[in-house]
Amino acid sequence: MAGRAWKFEDDVDTDAVIPGRYLVINDPEDLAKHVFEGVRPEFAREVVAGDFVVAKRNFGCGSSREHAPLGLKGAGVKAVVAESFARIFFRNAINIGLPLFVSAEADRIRDGDEIEIDADEGIIYNRSTGETYRTTPLPPFLQEIVAMGGLVEYTKRMVRSA
């Protein structure tokens, strides 16, 4: 996984990711048109499939809307890296197949840096600075859920194979 880092600060709430007025939209690509529109209006226009969202502490706080990770996934965001995540956002992201990486060093990544993540080894490579950072890899069962596109697809496959 390699792409551009879009940097955010602490306490990015789900309303900043997807404003509440768009909760009537359930299509990921339609939601993607409104991701971060109130805090970084250029994001929806300029994000490229494979880019990363990078933040400091408590990313995804606020309401438990699934629209926030769904909009990020629809925008082509490959993963979110943060020092910490709100628990409900973490669960919603995994449920829809958006990988998350916890790194105490996320604050060292700058907006626009090119980064690469080795999910198996738990390493983030910053191609722009040459630095490397540790991340906590997702447990294998969560990696499997993400790889299958989320909990619904995972469950369907598990039921078919039973």
Side-chain angles (χ1 to χ4, degrees):
M1 290 188 240
R4 174 187 175 182
W6 290 83
K7 184 69 178 278
F8 294 86
E9 295 297 320
D10 292 329
D11 303 315
V12 175
D13 65 44
T14 53
D15 198 49
V17 180
I18 288 290
R21 65 184 167 276
Y22 300 115
L23 297 182
V24 295
I25 300 171
N26 290 307
D27 178 71
E29 292 177 9
D30 286 341
L31 283 170
K33 297 172 188 172
H34 307 288
V35 173
F36 295 119
E37 92 176 8
V39 293
R40 289 199 66 181
E42 76 280 10
F43 182 89
R45 292 187 313 273
E46 297 175 14
V47 68
V48 175
D51 283 355
F52 297 93
V53 168
V54 178
K56 292 185 180 180
R57 295 183 312 253
N58 200 28
F59 186 87
C61 59
S63 69
S64 64
R65 62 184 65 153
E66 294 173 336
H67 294 75
L70 194 60
L72 291 170
K73 188 174 178 183
V77 170
K78 189 69 173 175
V80 181
V81 177
E83 291 179 35
S84 65
F85 293 92
R87 292 182 63 83
I88 192 68
F89 180 86
F90 188 93
R91 193 67 230 165
N92 283 338
I94 298 301
N95 286 348
I96 61 101
L98 178 66
L100 304 176
F101 296 94
V102 175
S103 176
E105 300 171 291
D107 64 321
R108 296 176 60 191
I109 301 169
R110 299 172 309 202
D111 192 55
D113 281 355
E114 289 292 321
I115 62 172
E116 179 180 350
I117 300 176
D118 183 329
D120 295 328
E121 295 297 321
I123 299 173
I124 301 169
Y125 300 97
N126 189 325
R127 293 178 171 178
S128 298
T129 66
E131 295 179 324
T132 60
Y133 321 111
R134 298 294 308 162
T135 181
T136 305
L138 291 174
F141 79 98
L142 292 182
Q143 288 182 30
E144 191 174 354
I145 291 171
V146 168
M148 290 185 182
L151 189 59
V152 171
E153 289 305 314
Y154 174 83
T155 302
K156 285 179 184 176
R157 289 183 190 185
M158 297 304 286
V159 168
R160 281 194 297 254
S161 67

